[in-house]
Amino acid sequence: MGDYYYMNIGQSVLQMLKDEISEIEYNRYIKQLQFATEESRSDFALFFAPNPLVANWIKTKYTDKIAHLFEIKTGTKPTVSVTIRTRNTPETAAAAPTAAPIEKPKHSLLNPSHTFENFVVGGSNQFAYAAAKSVSEKPGDIYNPLFIYGGVGLGKTHLMQAIGNVLQHQGKSVIYTSIEQFVNDFTRHLRNQTMDRFKDKYRKCDALLIDDVQFLSNKNQTQEEFFHTFETLRNERKQIILTADKHPKQIAGLEERLKSRFEWGLVADIQPPELETKIAIIKKKCEINRVSLTNDVINYIATIISNNAREIEGILSKLHAYAQLMHMDISIEFAKNVLREQLQEQRDNITIDYIMSTISKELNVKPSEIRSKNRSRNIVYARRIAIYLARELTPMSMPQLAKYFGMKDHTAVSHTMKKIQELLKNDEDFKVKIEELTNKITTPQIG
Ligand code: ADP
Ligand code: MG
């Protein structure tokens, strides 16, 4: 239960935000939020939004800011979460004071629109989808745990929650949590000497869904506890589903026994979507959010976004908001104008210099070495990755790349690209490294 002090803090944080942003933006989005006093704690702030559009707009634009304002007010920076619920539910309940105290419906943190029906299947995610579907049909039975991994915004949380939603509809008790919340919860119960309650909570559910387990890295005490939770649940054939940004083998600072257990069931990867899949995802999001766009606008959006589907809802909200404001239809010219800024930001973020400095840091090779003709193994390795990522993530042409990397001409670049494609097919470690670096480079830095 939220403590008394915590009751109004959420609302006053939103008030603070009011001074910092435009009135239109405030009225359109922030005003629609409701602070979840019951569910929030000093390290976790939950807000309810009336629909996915508002929720996602807040998530993409404001959670960092909101967390920061909390920190100013309370000294603690919470994890800020936004979920969908229609307003007034608590008021309706309160309006019936004579009713016997009914058990409060447990608020589920599952996003109701994260369903299998709303998930677009393409070559990039087919395998993970099929695995998730089977798990939802036979929980605890075939693949336990199910481990889904892949880059940011590729649909891991969506798929995991789709299973959760199916099970929850069957009346099963489902716990969905991020590893950060799990760690926070653990620390809090440890401090309050209420570990029994912690154990009860996590060991007595029918399905435990834990998101982003790479953050367990180096948290030894929690790993220990998590290990026992895992063992208990698995012995009782309760379903465990985990996601991470990389393969269990690649998660540094994770106990070997956990790594091996994560592979006991099925490890499924999600790859970046092909253009067709991106287009289909955008169409799906339009349908869910009741935004209508012409095909050329949809195609345009598909080409400007990176592989991260999370951008889509932000873009739709933006287009929708502007169109309403200007009383204009969303034509391709209109979309280009509105999204120019977005495109610019993306291009500015991912420059060849940024790619080089990231690779150089991660692989411990100097940029000058990467651009040199040095043939030692680790440098050739770094150079290949740099050429590949520059080609994938920047608008640089083959001749430009040849010049930048001191190669003879564009055929030399295309030769290298071929070699890399081959490696991606045959060398699992190389593939994982490329994925990891792509993630690092394409994920906006927070702060
Ligand atoms: P991740 O957890 O891998 O970072 P999410 O599951 O949060 O990614 O997905 C980001 C957004 O993109 C969500 O709104 C999700 O619904 C959407 N999304 C991603 N992949 C798909 C897909 N294949 N079909 C429909 N929506 C998708
Ligand atoms: Mg996720």
Side-chain angles (χ1 to χ4, degrees):
M1 199 193 298
D3 52 56
Y4 177 74
Y5 170 67
Y6 225 61
M7 297 273 282
N8 297 312
I9 196 93
Q11 293 305 335
S12 66
V13 160
L14 296 184
Q15 278 299 320
M16 285 166 81
L17 196 54
K18 191 176 182 175
D19 300 331
E20 297 195 17
I21 63 177
S22 79
E23 200 180 327
I24 294 168
E25 192 119 314
Y26 180 84
N27 287 335
R28 197 181 291 277
Y29 299 104
I30 306 292
K31 213 172 142 186
Q32 314 238 32
L33 291 182
Q34 197 181 25
F35 184 55
T37 48
E38 284 289 322
E39 289 84 350
S40 298
R41 302 183 307 266
S42 56
D43 55 6
F44 175 67
L46 179 71
F47 291 89
F48 295 124
N51 58 52
L53 215 59
V54 170
N56 284 300
W57 184 255
I58 303 288
K59 276 187 208 158
T60 40
K61 270 195 87 173
Y62 288 115
T63 44
D64 288 338
K65 196 154 209 145
I66 292 173
H68 178 66
L69 292 174
F70 267 100
E71 193 178 13
I72 294 176
K73 270 204 105 76
T74 68
T76 311
K77 191 171 187 172
T79 310
V80 173
S81 183
V82 185
T83 186
I84 301 150
R85 190 178 73 179
T86 42
R87 302 182 88 169
N88 301 332
T89 323
E91 278 86 343
T92 325
T98 49
I102 37 163
E103 204 180 313
K104 252 185 244 134
K106 264 228 182 77
H107 181 74
S108 154
L109 292 170
L110 295 174
N111 180 335
S113 70
H114 282 163
T115 59
F116 284 115
E117 294 72 43
N118 286 342
F119 192 83
V120 174
V121 187
S124 56
N125 57 32
Q126 217 162 24
F127 182 63
Y129 174 85
K133 201 78 183 124
S134 317
V135 166
S136 75
E137 284 153 12
K138 290 193 164 147
D141 214 23
I142 26 174
Y143 306 131
N144 204 11
L146 172 64
F147 191 102
I148 305 172
Y149 80 96
V152 181
L154 300 187
K156 301 183 296 295
T157 300
H158 186 137
L159 263 188
M160 169 191 247
Q161 293 202 352
I163 305 172
N165 275 316
V166 169
L167 301 182
Q168 201 163 55
H169 281 134
Q170 299 167 348
K172 299 205 166 75
S173 77
V174 175
I175 295 188
Y176 166 79
T177 175
S178 67
I179 207 71
E180 282 145 311
Q181 264 168 267
F182 185 83
V183 171
N184 287 346
D185 217 18
F186 174 70
T187 335
R188 196 164 49 95
H189 279 99
L190 199 63
R191 198 174 49 225
N192 299 343
Q193 300 183 310
T194 49
M195 276 308 289
D196 289 351
R197 274 169 52 199
F198 179 87
K199 286 181 183 156
D200 263 13
K201 176 173 166 188
Y202 289 100
R203 295 183 193 183
K204 293 212 168 126
C205 58
D206 296 315
L208 180 61
L209 282 48
I210 303 203
D211 224 347
D212 296 316
V213 293
Q214 72 272 12
F215 293 121
L216 260 179
S217 169
N218 298 323
K219 305 213 166 64
N220 299 341
Q221 228 181 346
T222 318
Q223 284 188 27
E224 167 85 28
E225 178 56 36
F226 182 63
F227 174 78
H228 295 296
T229 309
F230 186 100
E231 290 285 280
T232 310
L233 288 172
R234 200 167 177 284
N235 286 337
E236 293 178 14
R237 304 177 73 123
K238 303 293 178 56
Q239 182 67 45
I240 302 162
I241 309 165
L242 309 166
T243 74
D245 64 351
K246 38 177 117 54
H247 192 282
K249 276 202 186 74
Q250 307 286 333
I251 304 178
L254 190 67
E255 284 180 27
E256 281 307 320
R257 58 179 185 174
L258 279 177
K259 278 191 193 178
S260 69
R261 272 164 186 77
F262 287 176
E263 292 187 63
W264 272 358
L266 181 76
V267 179
D269 67 326
I270 304 189
Q271 293 298 318
E274 308 81 8
L275 187 64
E276 276 71 50
T277 312
K278 276 197 226 178
I279 291 174
I281 296 175
I282 298 170
K283 288 189 173 155
K284 191 53 133 188
K285 290 289 175 195
C286 286
E287 190 187 310
I288 296 169
N289 291 302
R290 295 194 195 88
V291 174
S292 97
L293 295 178
T294 58
N295 279 338
D296 53 348
V297 173
I298 290 175
N299 291 343
Y300 172 69
I301 297 175
T303 54
I304 68 162
I305 57 172
S306 61
N307 292 324
N308 182 346
R310 206 170 288 169
E311 289 172 55
I312 296 171
E313 262 153 342
I315 289 180
L316 295 186
S317 320
K318 198 166 184 174
L319 285 178
H320 188 67
Y322 274 85
Q324 281 200 340
L325 207 65
M326 320 283 281
H327 302 290
M328 276 170 82
D329 287 338
I330 305 174
S331 66
I332 182 81
E333 288 72 32
F334 180 81
K336 278 186 179 162
N337 272 329
V338 173
L339 300 176
R340 184 165 293 145
E341 196 190 329
Q342 175 117 11
L343 197 58
Q344 196 55 48
E345 263 170 32
Q346 249 180 45
R347 292 224 172 118
D348 287 351
N349 278 344
I350 304 177
T351 59
I352 180 75
D353 291 339
Y354 184 60
I355 291 175
M356 290 292 277
S357 78
T358 310
I359 292 177
S360 138
K361 243 185 285 167
E362 293 293 318
L363 302 181
N364 217 357
V365 177
K366 290 198 197 82
S368 58
E369 287 172 329
I370 299 179
R371 295 178 71 176
S372 73
K373 295 207 155 48
N374 190 321
R375 300 291 309 161
S376 58
R377 244 182 96 191
N378 61 329
I379 295 175
V380 171
Y381 179 74
R383 188 176 305 129
R384 282 186 179 150
I385 292 182
I387 293 172
Y388 180 79
L389 293 181
R391 181 71 183 150
E392 288 288 301
L393 304 175
T394 75
M396 283 173 90
S397 64
M398 298 263 198
Q400 281 171 327
L401 288 171
K403 195 162 166 224
Y404 185 90
F405 287 100
M407 298 163 90
K408 214 165 76 210
D409 55 17
H410 69 276
T411 49
V413 178
S414 106
H415 183 73
T416 307
M417 288 298 287
K418 272 207 199 94
K419 191 164 267 160
I420 297 167
Q421 302 286 8
E422 238 164 68
L423 281 173
L424 281 173
K425 262 196 220 113
N426 305 321
D427 183 342
E428 180 73 18
D429 287 344
F430 184 76
K431 188 178 119 192
V432 169
K433 195 79 213 163
I434 290 269
E435 283 165 16
E436 210 180 297
L437 285 163
T438 307
N439 267 338
K440 276 233 162 61
I441 293 165
T442 53
T443 309
Q445 299 301 304
I446 294 163

